[in-house]
Each structure stands twice: as structure tokens, then as C-alpha cells.
């Protein structure tokens, strides 16, 4: 055992550090006791009854334990490291970020792993008694491992970029994970449409069927390819989704780990991500019906909220960029590189990049909608998509404007402001009428929903004019703020150079 631990320390020092600090006799006994207690309750309640319910409930317990529990322990550990300043000390070590965070992913939730592994024999027993093939159960475990890697990677990234939350990252991250699992199990459980099947692909629960003949993804297809008829193809597609998501998150982890001021993604990476996301989601929506279109809108809305957070530069980065632009124009009169910088630059504001990203799904979904025969629905479908991405551009501009506030709490204030701007108009619209809903995230639903008095095209055009006015005002403020800040920083820099000379 000592030789094994020594070799482990040589292979991954961070993993050795975590296991040495967490794997104590009393923590092992507590994890084992809780696991066996839960299993005893299941065994007592379900022995002699239909093992369908036992297998389903035990599957849910295993999934929630490893995903929610692991997410909490990782987020809490990193929040503690940041609060104590030890994460900066770890950065000084010769270990790569991959080695450090893989060590944390394997070591920090070690007691969660112990509790889960001790429940696997009973889970296997229930599944085999139910008649579920052994290979399906084993594949479901592989998918659970992939889901854990994806979720734990997300927890690491969230902890790295949310130090301003002051230590509540663990509760927020694990709470979001629990709500997501419950939503996908309860809200979509009785829905067999292909649009909801896409969401099932990222919940391991759906790969643990209630019986040998009740695979819940049997109707899944992608661009007409009936992948759901093969358990192996569907599982492979799910693993592909997890692999892509994990790869994107690790790109962001490496950027944020090496430079606290770096954005989570480069603009080039964002374009590739959006294109890939569009191909995957559009392939799962086989017809442009109301429900499928609304699911696409929701998925794209979530993606673009991430892109806004991942691409928007912080205060100092944006000011440095504005200063550089001011100096470049002074030294190179007549030459322009502003547009190229806004499209590809690492430090430039992200609004134009968000707009380019928005064009990718906007054009793709518009082609998708164009196959409709119903002229009224086609018009409203186009308008719902346009309103979605118009709102997202406003949110992107608002986020950049908020981060240009000269205040130490600008990040916290910006996030609060974004939450208010997204949620408050929903309340106002519910009280005062349908037109105001066009300025909230309810706009696509309002436009697509069947109504006795549908929104007129004129009213929707008026709403778009309002969107354009708000966006124009925000862009004007951002441009003025950056220009003023760039001029001030340039003067200060020139003054300092003169004094030094």
C-alpha cells in the first residue's frame, strides 16, 4: 500500500495530496454507513415487490449522489482554496492545469465515490432481476462517468470565474445541478417528442431503462437517421455530446487558469462552438412545429447566455484595448483594423462577435422554418427567432456596459443587473399586457403561442424598433465610454513617459 501511494504521488501529486487529506478512517466509515443505510431502506421497501421501482429509484439516487454531491464538494474545495489563497500557490507548482484539476476531480469527491461504488452491487442485482441486459447496465455506468467528468469540469470552471460570489459557488452549482436533473426527469418524463429527447441524451437516468424493452430514447433520430433504434448508437451519440462539452469547458479552464483577465473562450472558438451546437440541435428537431422550434430557441438562449459570459472582456482588458486602439489610430492615420479586431481580437468587446455567432443559428433555423406551408405560422416563427437574438444582443451590450463601470464591485453589480433585466420585464409583462412581453424573454413564447387575439405584424415590428433603439443607445454609451477611457489612459501613459525621460 505504501508503494502504491508513493507511485500515485509521483504520477499525480495533486491527487496524492487530496486523497491523503480526505481519505481518513472516519470519513470512509461515514460514507460506507450512509451508503449501506440507504441500501437497507431500498432493500426493505422493495424486497418481494416489483423491482422496476427499486431499480429506477436506486438509479436516481446513484446519479444524484455522484453528480450533485461531487459538484458540491469540488466547488466548495476550490472556493476554499481561493479564499485561503492556496490556489495561487498551486499555480506556482510545475504541474500542468490538467494534472492539477484531474487530481482534484479524482481526489476531492473520494468519499462520494466510495458511497456510490458500495451501492453498485445492489443496483446491478435489481437491474438483472428486472431483465435489463448486463451490457446496457454497464454502458449506463460509462455514460454516468462521462456525465460526471462533464459536470465536474463545469464545476471547476464555474469556481474559477465566480470568486466574486464570496463562497456560495458550491450551493449555486450543486443546486443548479439538482434542479436540472429533476426538471429533465419530471417535466420531460412523459414527453416522447424528439425535441425533448435531445435533453434526455444528457441525463444518465434515461440510459437506465425500467425494463429490458422500455428504452426511453427509442424514438430518437438525428437528421432523419433513426439512432434510437440502436442502444449502442444512441449511447455513442450521448458520449459524443459529453465529449464535445467537456472539451469546450477545458479550453476555458486552461485560459482562465493561466490568466485571470482572459475571457473563457476566444472568438474563433466561439464560432466553432456555435456552429457545432447548431448542427447538433437542428438535427434533433425533425420538423419546424411549435414545440420543436421553441425547444431550439430555449437551447440557443442558454448557449448565448454562456457566450456572453465567456466572451465579454473585463474592465481592465477593455480599457487596455481602447488605449491600444487610440494609440494605433494616432500612429497610423488612415489605417483601420477596428472591424477585424472586433471579430477576432482577444481583448475587444464581444458584441459584434455575439452578433456573428447569432447569425449562424438564425440563418439555419430560418431555412428550417422556410419549409412550412402555413403562412401565418411561418411569419410568427421567423419573428420569434429574430426577437430571441435581438434580445440576446441587448443582453450582450448590457453586460459589456455594466463591466465598464468604474467600481470594484462591477462584476457583482453587472450580474445582478442582468438578472433584473431578464426577470423583471417578465413580471411587468404579466401585469400590464402583451406588448411589453416583447421586451422580455417571454417574447418568443408570446409570438408562437396560439392566441384568440394574436400579435399583429405591426405590433411586432414596433417591438423590434424598440429593441433597435435600446441596443443603439447601449452601443453609443459603450463607444463613448471606451473612447473617453482610451484617451485618458493614453494621456496618462504619455505623461508618465515624459516624466521618466
Amino acid at each position: 500500500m505504501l508503494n502504491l501511494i508513493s507511485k500515485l504521488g509521483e504520477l499525480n501529486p495533486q491527487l496524492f495530496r487530496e486523497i491523503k487529506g480526505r481519505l481518513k478512517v472516519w470519513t470512509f466509515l461515514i460514507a460506507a454507513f450512509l451508503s449501506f443505510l440507504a441500501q437497507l431502506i431500498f432493500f426493505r421497501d422493495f424486497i418481494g415487490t416489483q423491482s422496476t421501482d427499486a431499480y429506477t429509484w436506486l438509479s436516481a439516487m446513484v446519479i444524484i449522489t455522484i453528480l450533485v454531491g461531487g459538484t458540491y464538494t469540488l466547488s466548495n474545495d476550490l472556493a476554499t482554496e481561493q479564499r485561503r489563497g492556496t490556489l495561487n500557490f498551486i499555480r506556482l507548482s510545475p504541474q500542468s492545469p490538467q494534472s492539477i484539476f484531474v487530481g482534484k476531480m479524482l481526489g476531492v469527491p473520494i468519499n462520494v465515490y466510495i458511497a456510490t461504488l458500495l451501492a453498485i452491487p445492489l443496483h446491478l442485482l435489481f437491474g438483472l432481476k428486472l431483465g435489463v441486459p448486463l451490457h446496457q447496465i454497464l454502458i449506463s455506468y460509462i455514460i454516468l462517468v462521462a456525465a460526471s467528468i462533464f459536470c465536474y469540469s463545469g464545476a471547476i470552471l464555474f469556481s474559477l470565474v465566480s470568486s466574486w460570489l464570496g463562497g456560495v459557488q458550491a450551493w449555486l452549482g450543486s443546486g443548479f445541478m439538482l434542479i436540472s436533473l429533476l426538471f429533465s426527469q419530471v417535466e420531460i418524463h412523459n414527453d416522447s417528442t424528439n425535441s425533448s429527447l435531445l435533453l434526455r441524451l444528457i441525463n444518465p437516468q434515461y440510459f437506465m431503462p425500467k425494463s429490458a424493452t422500455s428504452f426511453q430514447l427509442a424514438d430518437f433520430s438525428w437528421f432523419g437517421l433513426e439512432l434510437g433504434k440502436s442502444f449502442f448508437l444512441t449511447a455513442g451519440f450521448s458520449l459524443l455530446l459529453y465529449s464535445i462539452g467537456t472539451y469546450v469547458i477545458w479550453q476555458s479552464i486552461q485560459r482562465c487558469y493561466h490568466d485571470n483577465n482572459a475571457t473563457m473562450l476566444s472568438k474563433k472558438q466561439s464560432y466553432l462552438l456555435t456552429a457545432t451546437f447548431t448542427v447538433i440541435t437542428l438535427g434533433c428537431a425533425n420538423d419546424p412545429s411549435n414545440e420543436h422550434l421553441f425547444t431550439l430557441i430555449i437551447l440557443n438562449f442558454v448557449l448565448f447566455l454562456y457566450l456572453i459570459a465567456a466572451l465579454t472582456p473585463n474592465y481592465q482588458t477593455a480599457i487596455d484595448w481602447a488605449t491600444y486602439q487610440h494609440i494605433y489610430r494616432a500612429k497610423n492615420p488612415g489605417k483601420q483594423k477596428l472591424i477585424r479586431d472586433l471579430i477576432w481580437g482577444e481583448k475587444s468587446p464581444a458584441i459584434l462577435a455575439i452578433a456573428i455567432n447569432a447569425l449562424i443559428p438564425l440563418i439555419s433555423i430560418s431555412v428550417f422554418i422556410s419549409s412550412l406551408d402555413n403562412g401565418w405560422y411561418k411569419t410568427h416563427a421567423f419573428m420569434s427567432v429574430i426577437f430571441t437574438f435581438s434580445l440576446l444582443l441587448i443582453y450582450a451590450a448590457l453586460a459589456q456596459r455594466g463591466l465598464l463601470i468604474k467600481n470594484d464591485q462591477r462584476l457583482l453589480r453587472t450580474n445582478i443587473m442582468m438578472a433584473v433585466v431578464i426577470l423583471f420585464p417578465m413580471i411587468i409583462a404579466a401585469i400590464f399586457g402583451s406588448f411589453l412581453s416583447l421586451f422580455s424573454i417571454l417574447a418568443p413564447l408570446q409570438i408562437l403561442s396560439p392566441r384568440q387575439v394574436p400579435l399583429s405584424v405591426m405590433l411586432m415590428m414596433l417591438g423590434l424598433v424598440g429593441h433597435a433603439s435600446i441596443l443603439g443607445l447601449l452601443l453609443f454609451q459603450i463607444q463613448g465610454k471606451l473612447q473617453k477611457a482610451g484617451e485618458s489612459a493614453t494621456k496618462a501613459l504619455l505623461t508618465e513617459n515624459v516624466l521618466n525621460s
Side-chain angles (χ1 to χ4, degrees):
M1 181 60 69
L2 291 174
N3 289 333
L4 179 62
I5 294 175
S6 177
K7 290 180 179 179
L8 182 63
E10 294 174 2
L11 182 65
N12 191 310
Q14 187 63 40
L15 176 58
F16 173 74
R17 172 180 175 242
E18 299 296 343
I19 292 179
K20 186 178 179 181
R22 297 173 186 278
L23 193 56
K24 307 293 185 182
V25 174
W26 65 272
T27 58
F28 174 84
L29 291 177
I30 291 175
F33 172 76
L34 293 176
S35 180
F36 284 127
L37 179 62
Q39 292 179 63
L40 181 62
I41 294 172
F42 272 97
F43 192 77
R44 183 199 65 185
D45 290 346
F46 294 109
I47 190 67
T49 65
Q50 291 289 335
S51 60
T52 301
D53 292 334
Y55 183 69
T56 301
W57 281 100
L58 190 55
S59 297
M61 187 191 76
V62 168
I63 291 170
I64 289 175
T65 298
I66 198 165
L67 295 186
V68 178
T71 297
Y72 175 83
T73 55
L74 264 174
S75 299
N76 187 59
D77 174 77
L78 285 169
T80 303
E81 296 264 27
Q82 287 179 324
R83 188 168 58 251
R84 294 176 178 174
T86 52
L87 188 61
N88 290 329
F89 177 76
I90 294 174
R91 281 190 173 102
L92 298 176
S93 70
Q95 296 182 77
S96 66
Q98 292 91 337
S99 175
I100 292 171
F101 291 121
V102 167
K104 282 194 169 292
M105 289 171 64
L106 293 175
V108 172
I110 187 68
N111 293 301
V112 175
Y113 297 152
I114 291 171
T116 304
L117 288 172
L118 291 174
I120 292 300
L122 184 64
H123 185 262
L124 272 171
L125 175 64
F126 281 142
L128 293 174
K129 182 182 177 183
L130 193 63
V132 180
L134 179 61
H135 70 269
Q136 287 196 12
I137 299 177
L138 295 179
I139 290 175
S140 70
Y141 291 161
I142 295 173
I143 291 174
L144 180 56
V145 170
S148 301
I149 295 172
F150 171 75
C151 295
Y152 292 175
S153 300
I156 290 172
L157 177 61
F158 178 63
S159 299
L160 287 177
V161 301
S162 61
S163 57
W164 54 273
L165 285 171
V168 300
Q169 299 99 316
W171 293 106
L172 287 176
S174 58
F176 175 78
M177 180 60 59
L178 180 60
I179 292 172
S180 299
L181 289 173
L182 294 177
F183 173 78
S184 61
Q185 290 180 11
V186 176
E187 296 295 329
I188 313 173
H189 186 70
N190 296 319
D191 187 356
S192 61
T193 60
N194 205 57
S195 57
S196 66
L197 291 178
L198 174 63
L199 302 181
R200 297 184 182 188
L201 285 169
I202 56 176
N203 187 338
Q205 179 73 47
Y206 292 98
F207 288 89
M208 298 179 178
K210 294 182 178 179
S211 68
T213 58
S214 67
F215 180 47
Q216 300 176 73
L217 287 159
D219 296 328
F220 174 68
S221 61
W222 186 67
F223 284 117
L225 300 175
E226 296 180 343
L227 302 180
K229 290 187 175 181
S230 169
F231 181 87
F232 292 100
L233 287 177
T234 310
F237 194 86
S238 177
L239 291 173
L240 176 63
L241 294 183
Y242 280 124
S243 299
I244 294 172
T246 303
Y247 174 80
V248 171
I249 291 173
W250 272 93
Q251 295 300 306
S252 299
I253 288 175
Q254 292 186 70
R255 289 172 62 87
C256 296
Y257 178 79
H258 290 298
D259 184 1
N260 290 331
N261 292 322
T263 56
M264 286 188 278
L265 290 175
S266 68
K267 293 184 172 66
K268 180 180 179 181
Q269 288 172 330
S270 74
Y271 303 142
L272 293 174
L273 172 60
T274 303
T276 304
F277 185 87
T278 301
V279 170
I280 292 172
T281 54
L282 200 62
C284 295
N286 292 329
D287 66 82
S289 64
N290 190 315
E291 182 181 359
H292 285 235
L293 181 59
F294 192 61
T295 302
L296 284 175
I297 288 174
I298 291 175
L299 292 173
N300 277 280
F301 197 89
V302 173
L303 170 69
F304 274 82
L305 288 181
Y306 168 70
L307 288 179
I308 291 171
L311 293 176
T312 304
N314 62 22
Y315 176 81
Q316 192 57 53
T317 301
I319 297 303
D320 290 344
W321 175 82
T323 304
Y324 166 77
Q325 285 292 320
H326 188 79
I327 295 173
Y328 179 85
R329 286 194 299 269
K331 291 183 176 180
N332 303 276
K335 290 186 178 181
Q336 289 291 335
K337 57 176 294 186
L338 177 62
I339 300 300
R340 184 180 66 185
D341 226 26
L342 289 173
I343 295 174
W344 301 106
E346 291 279 327
K347 299 181 178 181
S348 61
I351 302 168
L352 181 57
I354 295 292
I356 294 172
N357 274 291
L359 284 176
I360 298 173
L362 182 62
I363 294 172
S364 303
I365 296 175
S366 296
V367 173
F368 182 63
I369 294 171
S370 64
S371 61
L372 287 167
D373 295 327
N374 186 329
W376 180 90
Y377 180 74
K378 181 186 290 189
T379 300
H380 281 66
F382 277 126
M383 295 300 288
S384 68
V385 175
I386 292 172
F387 267 91
T388 299
F389 293 107
S390 175
L391 280 169
L392 288 168
L393 288 179
I394 291 175
Y395 295 155
L398 191 63
Q400 186 63 81
R401 179 64 185 89
L403 290 178
L404 292 177
I405 298 173
K406 205 168 185 179
N407 187 286
D408 292 339
Q409 299 295 321
R410 68 179 70 87
L411 191 55
L412 176 62
R413 292 189 177 188
T414 299
N415 280 276
I416 294 174
M417 177 179 65
M418 292 293 293
V420 170
V421 168
I422 291 175
L423 297 176
F424 187 68
M426 296 171 58
I427 302 173
I428 298 299
I431 298 174
F432 293 103
S434 59
F435 176 71
L436 291 177
S437 69
L438 296 178
F439 296 87
S440 75
I441 60 174
L442 294 176
L445 177 62
Q446 185 79 5
I447 295 170
L448 283 174
S449 62
R451 297 168 50 86
Q452 293 181 349
V453 184
L455 290 170
S456 66
V457 175
M458 183 63 69
L459 198 62
M460 289 188 285
M461 294 301 296
L462 188 61
L464 284 178
V465 171
H467 280 212
S469 301
I470 295 171
L471 181 60
L473 177 61
L474 288 171
L475 292 176
F476 177 77
Q477 290 182 346
I478 292 170
Q479 192 272 339
K481 187 77 173 178
L482 287 174
Q483 183 175 354
K484 183 178 179 181
E487 291 175 354
S488 300
T490 302
K491 289 179 181 177
L493 186 62
L494 292 175
T495 302
E496 182 180 354
N497 290 336
V498 170
L499 292 175
N500 291 334
S501 61

